[in-house]
Amino acid sequence: MSKRLRSSEVCADCSAQDPCWASINRGILICDECCSVHRSLGRHISQVRHLKHTPWPPTLLQMVETLYNNGANSIWEHSLLDPASVMSGRRKASPQDKVHPNKAEFIRAKYQMLAFVHRLPCREDDSVTAKDLSKQLHSSVRTGNLETCLRLLSLGAQANFFHPEKGNTPLHVAAKAGQTLQAELLAVYGADPGTQDSNGKTPVDYARQGGHHELAERLVEIQYELTDRLAFYLCGRKPEHKNGQHFVIPQMADSLDLSELAKAAKKKLQSLSNHLFEELAMDVYDEVDRRETDAVWLATQNHSTLVTETTVVPFLPVNPEYSSTRNQGRQKLARFNAHEFATLVIDILSDAKRRQQGNPLAGSKENVELILKSISNQHSSESQDNDQPDYDSVASDEDTDLETNAAKSNRQKSLDSDLSDGPVTAQEYMQVKNALVASEVKIQQLMKVNINLSDELRIMQKKASKLEKQSSMSESDYDNPTTPLELEETGSGRKGRQRSVIWQGEGSIPEDTDTAPSSSLPSTEDVIRKTEQITKNIQELLRAAQENKHDSYIPCSERIHVAVTEMAALFPKKPKSELVRTSLRLLTSSAYRLQSECKKTLPVETCPTTDIQLVTQQVIQCAYDIAKAAKQLVTITTKENNN
């Protein structure tokens, strides 16, 4: 690492001294705490790498250093540099701020919502704007001005743009001009070194033709980066591309004694279309990155000072641009033990080599999800590791059709660590899970669209709290700011006057001293039916948000509240299970908060301080919390009723 990077550097997000991590695609340096938030966003948002404990291609590190030293951070904080932003109350995070919610909210706004980047004037045809930006990028990469190119990429310029008049891509131009750092930046944003121009030449060809031999060698490395990374993960070696060796295929000690399941999984992998195979390989690459970064993270952290929840990224975060089935497969990769994962990596390396050499196999419609199951079930006789991190699995459309009885039995053992993925026979359950995941993806997409102005949001909430006549705060099990709820109290106790109908907006389960705690739960089928109704109404609300139909918020929220009340009424007044009580509290308080937020969309003369974008964001968050709570109740009742 250069001397310039070792001294007086500060975190791009909170200005803490001596940042140890870099976000490659953002061209910035970040501290440990901010890095934990970047990791939780996923590699599609931020690609992090430790400055000292992770191997760096020299020119890639030089590219990040150049961007950082030339003010790349100002791209992501453009509007914050405007003096008017100080007057409006907007500010960046500081080293003293808590990771949650302060730093996390700021980082999500900055990189996920792109809340502070310079926005071009709105035009009717966005594709024309993207084309213009891409043409500018095509011209700019022949120079050494990296920051200009990063700005264009941040605005939507395409790294793989094929210029219709010039007949080539920006990477062809950079390679011909010998612009190594521009080539690194373009590659980070997805530029393909193997793309041919109108003359049938690749960027590698132009680099060699221009005498830029080191650049040519680096472009070849970039071309094989995926398979090189997988091989290095398993055996610590990379191929000698200079000598024409492009693949290293590690061998495991028991690889010659493959089980029938292993052979079947390998055959299914080979029968995938090239498109599906590439998707699976990219997902495995992301999982390798997650595991390697985890190892560096654990080796470098002061665990006595960092909050545990900021350090854990137990599975690949959901990418809203991917299908629910693909997101499920990505999440399941985290549950593979070392042997299973190594088997999958070796199979991918072997088949990548076969495909590149053009050895054909008969086509098939095999699904990636089925292949992952086959590999993870190779060791079905081994005990399941219940220490695996908890996470919400994404339901596959093929679960009920493709799982064998043996696999279901195997999965039963791990119910405690993965409630939502248990062997449920009801087809409706799978449909509900799919619908909930679809809602979750829509929520994330909408949150990307809506600008997150967290500081202004907190100011709004404080004003709203003063306006409302509330007398107490409801406890909840999630991190969002809590809205004061209508709980009536008398004297110094919390008994108060209970309403005759429970869960009519109080936001918590009434304490009924005359009722003994009950361990009985409703049937799974009843809970599923109510969850379906909630999900249907949530999706209707999300569609309204996506289409800016703000006048539909209130009727949608009322229908959701009715469905939530009906679902809550299925459960005993005083559930014995703390998990049930917590989920019901989240369900009902979120429904009440949703109604409260939706009322802010009334005509401006009624609510003159309303910022509709902020309201929409809160509405989306409430809808997500309701969906999450409903899903929790489905999984709890399913597990208990199956026992």
Side-chain angles (χ1 to χ4, degrees):
M1 196 168 72
S2 74
K3 292 180 181 178
R4 280 191 296 170
L5 270 174
R6 288 202 188 105
S7 60
S8 67
E9 307 297 351
V10 297
C11 172
D13 296 333
C14 74
S15 302
Q17 293 291 321
D18 301 321
C20 298
W21 298 82
S23 173
I24 299 171
N25 58 323
R26 304 295 179 174
I28 57 166
L29 306 184
I30 49 179
C31 68
D32 282 341
E33 289 191 342
C34 291
C35 178
S36 70
V37 182
H38 277 253
R39 290 193 63 210
S40 71
L41 298 178
R43 291 188 74 253
H44 58 288
I45 301 294
S46 183
Q47 301 169 20
V48 300
R49 190 182 290 231
H50 198 278
L51 290 171
K52 297 178 182 177
H53 295 277
T54 306
W56 280 86
T59 51
L60 182 62
L61 178 60
Q62 190 182 347
M63 183 269 288
V64 173
E65 175 186 343
T66 303
L67 283 171
Y68 177 85
N69 289 329
N70 285 281
N73 195 41
S74 64
I75 294 173
W76 315 112
E77 295 184 355
H78 176 84
S79 64
L80 290 181
L81 300 176
D82 186 344
S85 68
V86 179
M87 303 298 294
S88 69
R90 287 198 222 171
R91 67 171 183 85
K92 70 183 294 176
S94 69
Q96 295 75 31
D97 284 338
K98 293 181 178 179
V99 178
H100 295 286
N102 305 71
K103 290 184 179 180
E105 286 182 357
F106 174 73
I107 290 168
R108 289 192 186 100
K110 182 176 174 181
Y111 302 108
Q112 193 171 36
M113 278 55 127
L114 300 178
F116 313 122
V117 300
H118 173 66
R119 298 188 179 278
L120 296 174
C122 293
R123 295 175 58 167
E124 292 183 6
D125 189 352
D126 290 338
S127 64
V128 174
T129 302
K131 186 176 180 180
D132 292 342
L133 290 168
S134 299
K135 284 186 174 182
Q136 290 181 47
L137 177 68
H138 191 277
S139 299
S140 299
V141 293
R142 70 180 74 252
T143 73
N145 195 331
L146 284 180
E147 198 241 353
T148 296
C149 293
L150 180 59
R151 190 182 301 278
L152 290 167
L153 289 164
S154 75
L155 292 171
Q158 299 300 305
N160 275 315
F161 173 73
F162 194 89
H163 200 295
E165 290 85 25
K166 309 287 187 182
N168 57 11
T169 70
L171 192 55
H172 284 95
V173 176
K176 191 173 183 179
Q179 292 290 347
T180 302
L181 302 189
Q182 294 283 21
E184 290 282 3
L185 177 61
L186 290 168
V188 166
Y189 276 82
D192 182 5
T195 300
Q196 295 183 346
D197 67 359
S198 55
N199 296 319
K201 292 186 177 182
T202 68
V204 178
D205 295 328
Y206 282 106
R208 287 177 179 151
Q209 184 177 311
H212 311 299
H213 299 296
E214 290 185 1
L215 173 55
E217 290 172 6
R218 176 62 185 142
L219 287 172
V220 172
E221 288 179 1
I222 291 171
Q223 192 170 356
Y224 289 95
E225 181 189 357
L226 190 153
T227 50
D228 284 3
R229 180 80 176 271
L230 299 189
F232 191 82
Y233 171 74
L234 288 184
C235 64
R237 290 192 300 115
K238 290 184 179 180
E240 292 289 338
H241 296 293
K242 291 181 184 178
N243 302 328
Q245 180 197 17
H246 298 309
F247 293 92
V248 170
I249 314 293
Q251 296 293 322
M252 291 193 296
D254 61 351
S255 60
L256 298 178
D257 185 26
L258 293 178
S259 67
E260 290 303 315
L261 272 172
K263 292 176 183 176
K266 187 170 185 177
K267 186 176 180 181
K268 290 167 186 170
L269 181 73
Q270 292 174 340
S271 66
L272 285 177
S273 68
N274 285 337
H275 174 69
L276 286 177
F277 177 78
E278 287 172 4
E279 286 189 350
L280 176 59
M282 288 189 288
D283 294 343
V284 171
Y285 176 94
D286 286 351
E287 175 63 14
V288 164
D289 182 84
R290 186 193 70 82
R291 294 188 182 208
E292 288 188 331
T293 307
D294 260 350
V296 173
W297 182 268
L298 293 172
T300 57
Q301 298 312 299
N302 181 346
H303 299 287
S304 63
T305 59
L306 281 177
V307 180
T308 304
E309 69 178 41
T310 70
T311 66
V312 176
V313 181
F315 63 97
L316 291 174
V318 171
N319 185 337
E321 295 182 4
Y322 294 161
S323 67
S324 60
T325 303
R326 184 175 180 186
N327 274 312
Q328 177 190 38
R330 288 167 60 83
Q331 289 188 349
K332 285 183 181 298
L333 289 171
R335 302 191 69 82
F336 281 33
N337 63 34
H339 193 286
E340 293 165 351
F341 192 61
T343 301
L344 177 58
V345 170
I346 290 172
D347 285 348
I348 286 176
L349 286 170
S350 301
D351 210 50
K353 181 178 181 180
R354 177 191 66 79
R355 289 169 189 259
Q356 197 223 32
Q357 293 175 346
N359 298 332
L361 277 177
S364 171
K365 296 182 179 179
E366 293 289 2
N367 187 276
V368 171
E369 183 73 6
L370 185 56
I371 292 166
L372 295 181
K373 284 175 186 167
S374 299
I375 293 200
S376 64
N377 287 328
Q378 286 177 30
H379 311 291
S380 58
S381 60
E382 299 176 5
S383 60
Q384 292 290 315
D385 182 1
N386 285 329
D387 291 329
Q388 292 285 356
D390 292 343
Y391 62 94
D392 287 341
S393 292
V394 184
S396 164
D397 298 333
E398 290 78 26
D399 271 345
T400 53
D401 297 324
L402 300 177
E403 283 192 341
T404 63
N405 291 331
K408 288 185 178 182
S409 175
N410 196 32
R411 294 266 293 280
Q412 179 67 45
K413 298 175 185 177
S414 61
L415 265 178
D416 291 339
S417 63
D418 191 6
L419 288 177
S420 65
D421 214 14
V424 182
T425 57
Q427 178 68 25
E428 298 146 303
Y429 177 33
M430 304 312 303
Q431 293 171 346
V432 171
K433 285 175 64 183
N434 284 333
L436 287 172
V437 171
S439 298
E440 206 166 314
V441 171
K442 288 180 182 177
I443 289 163
Q444 294 203 23
Q445 289 172 328
L446 287 169
M447 289 183 73
K448 284 183 70 175
V449 173
N450 289 288
I451 299 175
N452 178 17
L453 306 176
S454 57
D455 291 319
E456 293 185 13
L457 175 58
R458 281 194 290 274
I459 294 170
M460 274 187 58
Q461 288 174 326
K462 288 178 182 177
K463 290 180 180 178
S465 298
K466 291 178 182 179
L467 292 174
E468 295 179 11
K469 295 180 180 179
Q470 313 289 356
S471 60
S472 68
M473 301 288 287
S474 164
E475 296 179 0
S476 88
D477 66 339
Y478 55 102
D479 296 330
N480 302 319
T482 309
T483 302
L485 303 173
E486 294 177 345
L487 286 173
E488 298 177 304
E489 295 182 6
T490 57
S492 59
R494 286 184 62 94
K495 293 182 181 179
R497 290 174 291 165
Q498 301 297 339
R499 302 182 185 181
S500 57
V501 180
I502 61 170
W503 304 309
Q504 291 295 315
E506 294 94 337
S508 64
I509 302 174
E511 293 292 335
D512 190 340
T513 55
D514 298 328
T515 305
S518 172
S519 59
S520 64
L521 292 175
S523 70
T524 303
E525 290 74 20
D526 287 342
V527 176
I528 287 172
R529 276 197 293 273
K530 296 301 180 185
T531 303
E532 283 181 320
Q533 189 60 44
I534 292 173
T535 301
K536 179 181 176 183
N537 291 326
I538 285 176
Q539 289 176 336
E540 183 181 352
L541 175 65
L542 293 176
R543 278 194 295 271
Q546 207 162 19
E547 297 167 6
N548 294 320
K549 296 180 179 177
H550 307 128
D551 55 347
S552 299
Y553 284 14
I554 292 178
C556 284
S557 70
E558 289 173 350
R559 286 192 288 272
I560 291 171
H561 185 267
V562 170
V564 164
T565 303
E566 290 176 353
M567 182 168 180
L570 294 174
F571 291 82
K573 290 185 178 181
K574 196 171 183 181
K576 188 175 181 180
S577 166
E578 174 62 29
L579 196 54
V580 173
R581 290 199 300 272
T582 300
S583 299
L584 284 170
R585 187 183 301 120
L586 175 60
L587 181 75
T588 55
S589 64
S590 300
Y592 176 77
R593 287 185 64 241
L594 177 64
Q595 282 194 303
S596 176
E597 292 295 332
C598 288
K599 287 177 182 176
K600 295 177 184 177
T601 61
L602 290 170
V604 176
E605 57 271 16
T606 309
C607 301
T609 62
T610 297
D611 181 325
I612 200 64
Q613 287 185 319
L614 297 176
V615 172
T616 296
Q617 183 180 323
Q618 284 298 92
V619 165
I620 291 169
Q621 185 61 54
C622 292
Y624 169 75
D625 288 333
I626 293 168
K628 182 174 76 171
K631 184 176 182 181
Q632 287 172 353
L633 290 169
V634 170
T635 58
I636 292 166
T637 54
T638 300
K639 180 191 174 187
E640 293 299 323
N641 291 333
N642 282 351
N643 285 344

